[in-house]
Amino acid sequence: MEQPSADPHIDAAERAALYRILALRRDCRHFTPGPLLPDDQLARLLDAANQAPSVGLMQPWRFMRLSTPAWRARLAPLVEAERQATAQALGPRGDEFLRLKVEGIREAAELLAVILAPDDGTVFGRRNMPVEMAWASAACAVQNLWLAARAENLGLGWVSMFDPDALARELGLPPGARPFGLLCLGPVPAFYAAPMLEQEGWRQRQPLERILWGGSLAPCPDGKS
């Protein structure tokens, strides 16, 4: 694998490229059917995931490659069952939801499961929030993989529609391990110009000023009169 430069300085072109990748990343649901990714490319992507930050350097993420037709056939019904349950839970928006494409399990070049490993007892940084910090750390690995995939002009879609207990049984996970994503990865016919849920009118991204409590970038008052 290509090793990073020994010079830690990031120049303007590299900085611009990173911000461009961040802006162009999409949760992809439409894939171009084709062969598996080359092993060296998949290794690069998973190595990027494994460089993610984690609380106490616990690295709680694990990945399983499930790209065979047999695995896809086994797992697709779990996703479909949850898709139908979600539609029911959405009430009046159920029919609208069912018109959305929510996964590419059968079409994507690769299907990966991302799993939270059994707790290794790490205390550093998570004494008061042990579960939350494990989940947050594992999500960072997925984000790294997502950005690396976009840099390689590949789409990635994070599928969270499944019963985690049922999926754990299908995957034969050890006690304490917990699945939290099926990742569809591979070439796409086109990248969405905007997040697909925005394009479909399902929901709109909130602008920066809406997510800043206090309404601006000014420091919050210290509360003293």
Side-chain angles (χ1 to χ4, degrees):
M1 280 180 201
E2 183 179 348
Q3 296 299 312
S5 169
D7 180 2
H9 179 75
I10 303 297
D11 64 29
E14 292 170 320
R15 182 166 56 251
L18 173 61
Y19 280 111
R20 182 167 182 262
I21 291 167
L22 289 168
L24 293 175
R25 185 211 58 81
R26 297 288 182 263
D27 187 5
C28 296
R29 288 91 185 276
H30 299 82
F31 292 86
T32 303
L36 299 177
L37 297 181
D39 286 347
D40 61 339
Q41 185 178 42
L42 183 59
R44 280 197 306 273
L45 295 170
L46 291 175
D47 187 59
N50 199 41
Q51 293 179 56
S54 61
V55 176
L57 202 58
M58 64 186 299
Q59 293 179 277
W61 49 79
R62 301 292 184 269
F63 291 93
M64 292 179 69
R65 191 181 190 185
L66 305 169
S67 302
T68 64
W71 269 117
R72 296 172 196 256
R74 286 175 64 177
L75 301 180
L78 297 182
V79 175
E80 178 59 22
E82 180 57 29
R83 189 176 80 97
Q84 295 296 331
T86 299
Q88 283 193 321
L90 285 168
R93 297 197 78 182
D95 288 342
E96 180 186 358
F97 167 77
L98 288 174
R99 289 192 291 271
L100 298 174
K101 184 169 175 56
V102 297
E103 48 83 13
I105 285 176
R106 296 185 186 274
E107 309 94 73
E110 299 282 351
L111 178 63
L112 307 175
V114 57
I115 297 151
L116 193 73
D119 198 318
D120 68 356
T122 296
V123 174
F124 191 138
R126 60 189 288 257
R127 188 180 68 82
N128 291 318
M129 294 186 289
V131 176
E132 295 88 344
M133 291 299 97
W135 287 106
S137 297
C140 287
V142 177
Q143 177 74 334
N144 268 26
L145 179 59
W146 227 329
L147 295 173
R150 187 62 186 87
E152 302 243 3
N153 291 307
L154 298 173
L156 186 147
W158 184 343
V159 181
S160 56
M161 292 185 185
F162 51 79
D163 178 325
D165 293 326
L167 182 55
R169 288 192 297 270
E170 286 289 342
L171 300 180
L173 299 185
R178 191 75 168 167
F180 72 102
L182 290 170
L183 305 179
C184 303
L185 171 66
V188 295
F191 285 95
Y192 311 133
M196 197 191 83
L197 294 184
E198 287 192 55
Q199 290 188 164
E200 297 291 337
W202 182 264
R203 196 167 193 171
Q204 297 299 308
R205 185 188 300 276
Q206 295 190 49
L208 177 60
E209 57 268 21
R210 291 286 302 276
I211 65 169
L212 283 169
W213 282 15
S216 75
L217 291 174
C220 291
D222 60 13
K224 296 178 182 178
S225 57

